[in-house]
Amino acid sequence: IPGFVDFGFTQEPQDAVTVRGGTLQLDCQAQTDAPTGPPTITWRKDGVLLSTVVDERRRQLSNGTLLVQNVLHSRHHRPDEGGYQCLATLDGLGSIVSRTASVTVAGPLRVIVPTESVSSYLGDTALLRCEVSGDPVPVIRWQKNREDLPLTFEPDSRLAVLPSGSLQVSRVQPPDSAMYRCLADNPGSTRTGTDAELRVLPEPGLSRNLQFLQRPSRVTALLGADAVLECSASGYPTPSIHWRRGDEVIQSWFVLYVPVDPFDSGLSTVPPQFLNYPTSAYAYESTDIELECAVTGNPPPFVRWMKNGEEVIPSDYFQIVDGTNLQILGLVKSDEGFYQCVAENSAGCSQAMAQLVLRDPGGERNSVVLPSAPRDLVPVLVSSRFVRLSWRPPEETGGGVAMFSNSRERSVNVSEPETLELTVSNLKPEETYSFRVVAYNDVGPGESSAPLKITTKPDLQVPSRVESLQASALSPTSIQVSWEPPNQPNGPILGYRLLWTESPSGKEQSVEVSGLNYKMDGLDRFTGYNVRVLALNRYGPGTGSETVSVTTLSDVPSAPPQNITLEVVLSRSIKVSWQPPPRGAQNGVISAYKIKYRKTGRRGDQEAIEPNNFWYLFTGLEKGSQYSFQVAAMTVNGTGPASDWYTAETPENDLDESQVPDQPSSLHVRPLPNSIIMSWTPPLSPSILVRGYIIGYGVGSPYAETVRVDSKQRYYSIENLEPSSHYVISLKAFNNAGEGVPLYESAVTRSLTDPIDPLEDDLFHLFDKYPTPMPDTSTPMIPPVGVQAVALSSDSVRVSWADNSMTKNQKSSEVRYYSVKWKSSFSTSGKFKSADTTALSHTVTGLKPNTMYEFAVMVTKGRKSSTWSMTAHATTYEAAPSSAPKDLTVISREGRPRAVLISWQPPMEANGRITGYILYYTLDKNLPIDDWVMETISGDRLTHQVMDLNLDTVYYFRIQAKNAKGVGPLSEPVQFRTTKGESEFLRSPIGQMRPPHGSVTPQKSSNLLVIIVVSVGAVTVVVVVIVALICTRRSSAQQRKKRASHSASKRKGSQKELRPPDLWIHHEEMEMKNMEKAPSVAPSGHDSPIQSCQDLPQVAHSQSESQMGSKSSHSGTSHKHGALEFRFLLSDRTVLRTRLRVVTFQVPMLTRHPAGSPPWTAPLVPGEEHEAK
């Protein structure tokens, strides 16, 4: 019995905050004393297994640490944020999963409470506020007259930075009168507050009411940490501050640090703590077990259970009892593994692990004598991959046989001491094995039987994998594939199946091929494909070959560059900018761009090549002239199609830069609660060059913050402002000669009514690729309207919209693109996926079937973006289930040994409403699935009862789910042996066998004979009735007498023709296959020949037997003569039913076996040869 394993994490990943472009490191280490070696570490992100192959930025070190280099983070693409877990796995034993580490990328800092100027009397207390939020929490420091103050002050200093970030000045003195400002820093950004003046007023000596500058607020802190409470007050006389807890004075200071303990229920949040840990346990199959887990915490923690790293879903057999305990009913072998009790609340996460090991049951008997050797070991059935053996018990048991085993390189234990048969599976075809049987009792093993050598039969197998698979690209749209036949065809090769998968989409296609090569045509240009080949014979497709990857050749681009813009820089230069062609139309690696240009009125074009950038500056042009430009993309194969011609005109003269620009001609502002949107027009003088604009703003002063923007910009949004505050704004143009005259405007931000949706928070200014300090990211553009979402398939939705911000005369050369974001409507993570496009529609792919999604669209033009549009919803179509039902379990029914109860869990990927399940079972799991017994289960039931099974027989079960779109994959086979009945009404000799579920019988021909006999009888009755009606029309009494005597003689003749049924069957002329002995029949038992005839299988079988009979493909008997083929042992119940029906239905069907039929395929047990005579 294997012992428990010491297995756990020595280091788990911790929450982390990183920055864009930085390196993320998550540590994970586990240790064990298991002999299998150290555990294997893998990583999950948001519940999905991470692959370090797909993303080369990710790398896992040998000690399990995960490194993510060059962290990505943008407005729409945040692949590195989320929850990370490491999974430690012991091969053959199970897995455990670590805590979830939350990884975030540092965002921008936001000013919550700006610094305002204050006045304080001499000797009083002054408080300068500065509250800034951000992730991670920023460090606040202060400046006095633009000179840094120390981060920490001496205990007797009058200055102190409170934990909230505010600066408190106690006992104000005249030197304290100055300009102060706060600075906030975190790894993501830096924020500078506005200047605020501290004015010191002379103390008039008059009494002033007490005024709280900072009141204590309710706080919550972790157990063991400090809860910080602030309090600041002013007045005259100068107030003193005392802190009380109840009636107890505990401190006299303006900041109270309270160590949190569990009694501070109003202050503390307590992480989950275990009151009762789950303990490792041994258990037996078919029993119940309860794993205990009691936790406490504040707030009360949520408890869930994990098995081998996967969450346990409550079901009929996995139940949560007493709130947190896990109860498992009817244990099966697959329930072994590591179980984790995971408790979580807002304060943290804790987990505890226990191991469950199932042990084999053993008997308890008193014995002092070892058993003798079992007798008459013979093979009952020999197949290609299993052998069924039977034997007689030993003469000397020594107090009861505990178990039997047959062994050579391995051993198999018989579950019950009285069992005299055993099936040994998982053998190799055409291999010779040696078997022996040993009887055990409490003392130990007895004498071994004589070895029995058996050679398994050849396997009716599918072909092995093909050899020398090769694939090479012939052109941008074709690939040539070739291969050699398999080394083990296992019969004539009927053909080959070629399968290929396109790398980006993952969609697989296939084609049947008769030869050893094939040319794949109509492929996408410069696209990767994965190719594999299967050989086919009469038994089906063989083993798949190794996958070969190949990429089609590159080609010239099939589309021109996008978003072409022209910018007149000077009187003799024009800048041309563009974006690459769509990715699907590049057809290779873009090596350069070809720009053609010409002057209007002249013939001939000139060319320029730009290999690196998405822009080109044309110089040396003529003044006052019009030029046209077009751009084409190039690959190594050539030049793609060119864009349309775009025209721009150079001015007659260069603009004047010897003097500063004039004042902007207009400035308009629109206040919002947290921002002010400003728009302006350029100076009226068109001859003076303007290189840009300087924007200044602040509360009461226009120079607290300044921003420079491009000369072409006409809009800007000042963000992160405070509601209901008065701001002064200045705008001035500048060039190399200096700054022009400013234009002023003032605005009061509106009061805050609705909180801002954090999902619409625009962080684009963190990752600006333009040179201006702060681009215009929130220009008031009109969002797209009329957004519609229409499902196209089970994994794609088409989103379309209209853009009313595009005027009729607007040039198409403007840089304008649209961002589409989407997520599942029922997603709890709140995370969107997104894509950009330049068209007015976009097809979103890679979605989950039968799932509702919500979509929104935003338009971006240059550096100006609209808000998100109204959301549209669409539900993807259903698809067939893509995973099998889970946790297929088979248990026996108490008191009903021939019935079993099947239970399962729904598939993880149902892809629609489950309409039913299909259950399969058989005796031989190597049979094709079409030859298994099939039972259909309607609805979404998760249990099913199977009746009339054989006693003490191994069955194999599989199940698949179905919905309106089709059936899903089959589950893995589950093996189950039925129990042995406690009482039997009738004993059957070994030569009489019942066809159980999963066997094949010649029932089809038997049913046909019954139909023929009934039809002939019916026709005869109809003819007799017609003749009788005709004869009744005769009036002669003599004719009536003749008719009566004739009818009597006819009946006598019919009676003479009927003979009693020949119930004497020559057993030696029957073909006996798959012979199976009744569990409790003694080898010396005898039955009369007439009993042998009566015990033949009845015609009326159960539904499952009828199905199996219709699927029989064996030709061991002649259906023409209606001979029956016996394959399995009859059960007592079948014998009883047969005796009631054999006189009516079986007599016409019984014929002698044709001469030359094959002999017995399994030897008889000695002592029963007389039954074959």
Side-chain angles (χ1 to χ4, degrees):
I1 299 174
F4 296 126
V5 173
D6 185 11
F7 185 27
F9 289 101
T10 58
Q11 190 172 12
E12 295 185 71
Q14 302 299 315
D15 296 346
V17 178
T18 185
V19 295
R20 175 176 176 261
T23 299
L24 170 65
Q25 176 176 331
L26 297 173
D27 298 320
C28 178
Q29 294 182 13
Q31 67 177 9
T32 180
D33 60 357
T36 56
T40 303
I41 301 295
T42 54
W43 285 88
R44 291 176 180 166
K45 177 181 178 290
D46 296 331
V48 179
L49 197 64
L50 271 182
S51 174
T52 56
V53 178
V54 175
D55 193 341
E56 61 184 6
R57 300 180 301 109
R58 299 179 180 137
R59 184 162 58 96
Q60 183 173 330
L61 305 183
S62 58
N63 64 351
T65 296
L66 177 67
L67 282 181
V68 181
Q69 298 175 325
N70 189 23
V71 171
L72 298 179
H73 191 81
S74 65
R75 179 172 47 182
H76 307 300
H77 187 54
R78 303 177 182 180
D80 298 325
E81 276 193 341
Y84 288 77
Q85 290 176 295
C86 67
L87 190 73
T89 302
L90 289 178
D91 189 20
L93 294 179
S95 306
I96 57 176
V97 66
S98 72
R99 67 179 298 274
T100 301
S102 176
V103 174
T104 57
V105 179
L109 296 176
R110 290 182 174 275
V111 176
I112 304 301
V113 178
T115 307
E116 296 181 352
S117 298
V118 296
S119 298
S120 179
Y121 291 96
L122 185 68
D124 206 347
T125 300
L127 189 68
L128 298 170
R129 298 180 181 274
C130 178
E131 293 186 16
V132 181
S133 68
D135 194 6
V137 177
V139 176
I140 304 296
R141 54 191 178 90
W142 283 85
Q143 290 182 342
K144 177 181 179 181
N145 293 331
R146 302 298 177 94
E147 293 183 1
D148 292 336
L149 293 174
L151 292 176
T152 59
F153 298 91
E154 297 296 330
D156 57 349
S157 175
R158 295 184 297 103
L159 276 64
V161 178
L162 302 183
S164 62
S166 300
L167 177 66
Q168 178 173 291
V169 183
S170 303
R171 303 187 303 279
V172 172
Q173 302 298 319
D176 298 330
S177 180
M179 299 295 293
Y180 294 84
R181 70 173 181 177
C182 68
L183 296 89
D185 300 281
N186 74 358
S189 60
T190 299
R191 187 78 177 181
T192 302
T194 58
D195 286 334
E197 182 181 5
L198 173 57
R199 294 180 293 269
V200 180
L201 305 176
E203 177 57 56
L206 299 177
S207 177
R208 293 191 307 275
N209 292 333
L210 180 67
Q211 179 181 3
F212 279 97
L213 305 178
Q214 176 73 42
R215 290 179 178 272
S217 59
R218 183 181 181 87
V219 297
T220 303
L222 288 175
L223 180 68
D226 288 341
V228 182
L229 302 173
E230 298 179 4
C231 180
S232 181
S234 68
Y236 187 85
T238 302
S240 59
I241 296 177
H242 301 277
W243 288 91
R244 293 177 180 271
R245 177 190 288 169
D247 296 332
E248 178 187 2
V249 178
I250 57 177
Q251 187 176 331
S252 297
W253 190 244
F254 52 83
V255 177
L256 176 63
Y257 295 88
V258 183
V260 177
D261 58 62
F263 299 102
D264 292 325
S265 58
L267 298 176
S268 63
T269 59
V270 183
Q273 297 179 354
F274 286 93
L275 302 176
N276 193 3
Y277 288 83
T279 57
S280 298
Y282 292 106
Y284 295 99
E285 289 192 34
S286 302
T287 62
D288 300 340
I289 192 172
E290 182 172 338
L291 300 176
E292 297 182 353
C293 177
V295 295
T296 184
N298 187 26
F302 169 77
V303 176
R304 55 193 175 95
W305 283 86
M306 311 289 289
K307 175 196 171 188
N308 292 330
E310 299 292 338
E311 186 171 356
V312 175
I313 300 175
S315 65
D316 292 341
Y317 298 96
F318 285 84
Q319 299 176 357
I320 303 298
V321 296
D322 296 334
T324 56
N325 295 346
L326 176 64
Q327 186 180 52
I328 308 174
L329 305 179
L331 288 172
V332 295
K333 192 66 177 177
S334 61
D335 293 333
E336 279 188 331
F338 296 102
Y339 288 80
Q340 290 174 274
C341 177
V342 182
E344 296 175 300
N345 64 7
S346 59
C349 173
S350 299
Q351 58 188 26
M353 184 268 290
Q355 184 180 6
L356 176 62
V357 177
L358 298 188
R359 62 200 310 177
D360 295 328
E364 295 183 0
R365 297 176 175 88
N366 296 321
S367 176
V368 294
V369 181
L370 291 175
S372 60
R375 298 173 292 170
D376 301 330
L377 175 63
V378 294
V380 177
L381 177 62
V382 178
S383 180
S384 60
R385 295 188 180 273
F386 68 91
V387 171
R388 188 168 184 84
L389 306 172
S390 70
W391 59 88
R392 297 170 61 198
E395 293 181 352
E396 298 291 339
T397 63
V401 179
M403 60 181 175
F404 288 89
S405 68
N406 67 326
S407 64
R408 182 173 180 265
E409 296 180 352
R410 53 174 300 198
S411 65
V412 179
N413 294 335
V414 179
S415 59
E416 296 292 338
E418 296 81 7
T419 301
L420 300 177
E421 291 184 352
L422 179 69
T423 299
V424 183
S425 304
N426 300 322
L427 305 180
K428 295 182 179 180
E430 299 183 89
E431 290 284 344
T432 300
Y433 293 86
S434 178
F435 297 88
R436 62 190 180 94
V437 181
V438 179
Y440 281 74
N441 62 13
D442 290 342
V443 178
E447 184 180 353
S448 172
S449 68
L452 173 66
K453 290 189 175 182
I454 300 177
T455 301
T456 55
K457 294 181 178 181
D459 198 1
L460 302 179
Q461 285 187 340
V462 296
S464 60
R465 64 178 58 188
V466 301
E467 303 291 330
S468 305
L469 177 62
Q470 296 180 346
S472 58
L474 298 180
S475 71
T477 59
S478 62
I479 293 176
Q480 181 69 37
V481 185
S482 63
W483 59 90
E484 296 297 330
N487 291 333
Q488 298 178 358
N490 294 319
I493 297 296
L494 303 181
Y496 298 88
R497 181 176 298 165
L498 173 65
L499 304 99
W500 66 92
T501 304
E502 182 180 340
S503 296
S505 65
K507 182 180 180 181
E508 187 176 73
Q509 303 179 60
S510 63
V511 64
E512 304 290 337
V513 182
S514 58
L516 296 176
N517 57 77
Y518 184 77
K519 181 182 179 183
M520 301 163 51
D521 290 313
L523 306 178
D524 293 338
R525 295 172 172 83
F526 197 67
T527 302
Y529 291 88
N530 297 321
V531 182
R532 57 192 180 98
V533 178
L534 308 174
L536 307 173
N537 65 8
R538 58 179 295 187
Y539 302 106
T543 306
S545 66
E546 296 289 341
T547 300
V548 176
S549 299
V550 61
T551 301
T552 52
L553 301 179
S554 61
D555 201 357
V556 297
S558 54
Q562 309 174 91
N563 296 335
I564 299 173
T565 60
L566 306 179
E567 178 184 357
V568 178
V569 179
L570 294 171
S571 60
R572 296 174 63 85
S573 60
I574 295 177
K575 181 181 179 181
V576 183
S577 303
W578 62 87
Q579 292 294 320
R583 181 175 295 274
Q586 294 181 14
N587 301 335
V589 178
I590 301 297
S591 58
Y593 292 89
K594 180 184 293 185
I595 307 101
K596 289 186 177 182
Y597 68 100
R598 63 190 178 195
K599 182 182 177 182
T600 303
R602 288 186 182 177
R603 294 183 178 181
D605 301 331
Q606 295 178 285
E607 294 181 355
I609 302 297
E610 173 51 53
N612 300 319
N613 301 313
F614 296 149
W615 57 269
Y616 190 87
L617 181 63
F618 288 91
T619 60
L621 305 178
E622 296 181 10
K623 297 181 178 181
S625 301
Q626 189 179 66
Y627 288 85
S628 299
F629 302 82
Q630 68 174 191
V631 187
M634 303 173 64
T635 63
V636 294
N637 305 88
T639 305
S643 66
D644 295 332
W645 289 95
Y646 294 89
T647 303
E649 184 175 357
T650 57
E652 290 288 343
N653 295 293
D654 290 331
L655 298 178
D656 183 15
E657 202 172 4
S658 61
Q659 54 181 319
V660 298
D662 293 339
Q663 189 182 58
S665 55
S666 67
L667 172 60
H668 304 278
V669 294
R670 183 163 67 93
L672 297 175
N674 296 105
S675 62
I676 295 177
I677 300 170
M678 47 187 301
S679 61
W680 64 89
T681 54
L684 295 177
S685 175
S687 60
I688 301 177
L689 177 64
V690 176
R691 293 194 175 273
Y693 297 90
I694 300 176
I695 301 171
Y697 61 94
V699 177
S701 171
Y703 303 111
E705 298 281 348
T706 57
V707 176
R708 290 174 177 253
V709 297
D710 192 85
S711 62
K712 297 183 293 298
Q713 195 156 329
R714 299 291 183 267
Y715 301 90
Y716 188 79
S717 177
I718 305 174
E719 296 289 340
N720 301 324
L721 304 182
E722 291 303 314
S724 304
S725 299
H726 184 272
Y727 287 87
V728 180
I729 302 166
S730 66
L731 176 70
K732 54 187 174 182
F734 70 94
N735 57 19
N736 290 336
E739 300 175 357
V741 178
L743 183 63
Y744 295 95
E745 187 63 80
S746 63
V748 178
T749 51
R750 296 189 301 187
S751 61
L752 186 62
T753 56
D754 297 322
I756 298 177
D757 184 357
L759 296 179
E760 297 184 5
D761 182 22
D762 195 350
L763 303 180
F764 191 68
H765 60 277
L766 286 178
F767 321 116
D768 181 24
K769 60 184 178 180
Y770 298 96
T772 52
M774 193 171 182
D776 182 15
T777 62
S778 301
T779 299
M781 295 186 66
I782 301 175
V785 296
V787 180
Q788 294 182 338
V790 179
L792 301 180
S793 65
S794 61
D795 64 346
S796 62
V797 170
R798 184 177 183 270
V799 185
S800 60
W801 58 88
D803 187 0
N804 288 349
S805 67
M806 184 182 297
T807 57
K808 296 181 179 179
N809 58 355
Q810 184 171 344
K811 295 182 180 179
S812 60
S813 61
E814 288 183 303
V815 180
R816 178 187 293 264
Y817 67 93
Y818 304 88
S819 300
V820 182
K821 71 174 182 179
W822 67 91
K823 73 166 185 175
S824 170
S825 297
F826 304 102
S827 172
T828 58
S829 65
K831 294 185 178 179
F832 285 86
K833 293 184 178 179
S834 61
D836 295 335
T837 180
T838 57
L840 292 176
S841 64
H842 179 70
T843 300
V844 180
T845 59
L847 304 178
K848 295 181 180 179
N850 194 43
T851 304
M852 177 180 286
Y853 287 86
E854 60 183 56
F855 303 84
V857 187
M858 178 177 67
V859 58
T860 299
K861 172 185 162 187
R863 301 173 189 174
K864 303 183 292 292
S865 298
S866 72
T867 57
W868 289 105
S869 68
M870 299 291 288
T871 58
H873 295 80
T875 302
T876 52
Y877 293 160
E878 290 188 358
S882 53
S883 64
K886 303 182 304 176
D887 300 332
L888 179 63
T889 305
V890 185
I891 61 174
S892 58
R893 299 298 303 273
E894 184 176 357
R896 306 182 68 180
R898 298 186 184 275
V900 296
L901 185 64
I902 316 293
S903 66
W904 60 91
Q905 288 297 306
M908 288 290 292
E909 299 171 355
N911 299 339
R913 187 179 67 85
I914 297 297
T915 59
Y917 295 87
I918 303 175
L919 177 69
Y920 298 85
Y921 55 98
T922 184
L923 294 177
D924 183 4
K925 68 178 180 180
N926 296 318
L927 286 175
I929 195 64
D930 290 340
D931 291 339
W932 291 40
V933 177
M934 180 183 72
E935 292 191 17
T936 302
I937 301 139
S938 300
D940 56 355
R941 293 191 296 115
L942 299 179
T943 57
H944 181 68
Q945 183 172 277
V946 179
M947 309 287 291
D948 296 331
L949 299 179
N950 286 341
L951 298 177
D952 192 31
T953 304
V954 176
Y955 285 86
Y956 299 91
F957 298 83
R958 303 180 75 178
I959 194 170
Q960 62 184 164
K962 64 178 180 178
N963 59 19
K965 293 298 182 179
V967 297
L970 283 162
S971 66
E972 291 298 320
V974 172
Q975 177 180 334
F976 183 82
R977 176 185 289 275
T978 55
T979 59
K980 175 178 174 60
E982 296 179 359
S983 63
E984 297 177 353
F985 300 101
L986 197 60
R987 305 294 183 186
S988 299
I990 195 169
Q992 300 169 355
M993 295 173 291
R994 172 179 182 257
H997 297 285
S999 66
V1000 285
T1001 64
Q1003 179 140 353
K1004 186 174 182 180
S1005 59
S1006 301
N1007 293 338
L1008 181 60
L1009 288 175
V1010 172
I1011 295 173
I1012 293 174
V1013 171
V1014 174
S1015 301
V1016 171
V1019 171
T1020 303
V1021 172
V1022 172
V1023 171
V1024 170
V1025 171
I1026 294 175
V1027 172
L1029 291 175
I1030 295 175
C1031 292
T1032 53
R1033 295 181 180 180
R1034 299 182 181 181
S1035 58
S1036 174
Q1038 184 178 0
Q1039 290 175 346
R1040 286 196 301 270
K1041 291 181 180 180
K1042 290 182 179 180
R1043 202 163 49 243
S1045 63
H1046 177 69
S1047 299
S1049 63
K1050 187 174 182 180
R1051 284 194 299 272
K1052 287 183 178 182
S1054 301
Q1055 293 174 353
K1056 291 180 181 180
E1057 292 175 0
L1058 291 174
R1059 296 179 180 181
D1062 186 5
L1063 302 181
W1064 295 92
I1065 306 300
H1066 291 272
H1067 289 273
E1068 69 275 6
E1069 294 182 1
M1070 285 189 172
E1071 180 182 2
M1072 305 293 287
K1073 292 186 178 180
N1074 209 1
M1075 184 171 60
E1076 190 171 342
K1077 188 175 180 181
S1080 303
V1081 175
S1084 60
H1086 298 282
D1087 283 327
S1088 66
I1090 188 67
Q1091 183 181 357
S1092 301
C1093 292
Q1094 290 174 339
D1095 289 346
L1096 293 174
Q1098 73 275 19
V1099 175
H1101 292 276
S1102 66
Q1103 180 181 0
S1104 300
E1105 292 169 332
S1106 302
Q1107 292 173 354
M1108 295 305 295
S1110 65
K1111 296 177 181 177
S1112 174
S1113 58
H1114 294 265
S1115 57
T1117 59
S1118 173
H1119 294 279
K1120 178 178 180 180
H1121 300 286
L1124 295 177
E1125 179 183 4
F1126 291 84
R1127 300 186 65 84
F1128 289 86
L1129 179 64
L1130 283 171
S1131 69
D1132 298 338
R1133 187 181 302 179
T1134 306
V1135 172
L1136 294 175
R1137 287 201 302 261
T1138 303
R1139 292 186 174 181
L1140 294 176
R1141 302 178 182 176
V1142 67
V1143 176
T1144 305
F1145 295 98
Q1146 287 191 337
V1147 170
M1149 297 169 56
L1150 295 174
T1151 63
R1152 297 186 180 274
H1153 201 286
S1157 59
W1160 296 76
T1161 59
L1164 291 173
V1165 176
E1168 302 199 7
E1169 292 84 352
H1170 67 281
E1171 295 186 11
K1173 297 179 182 180

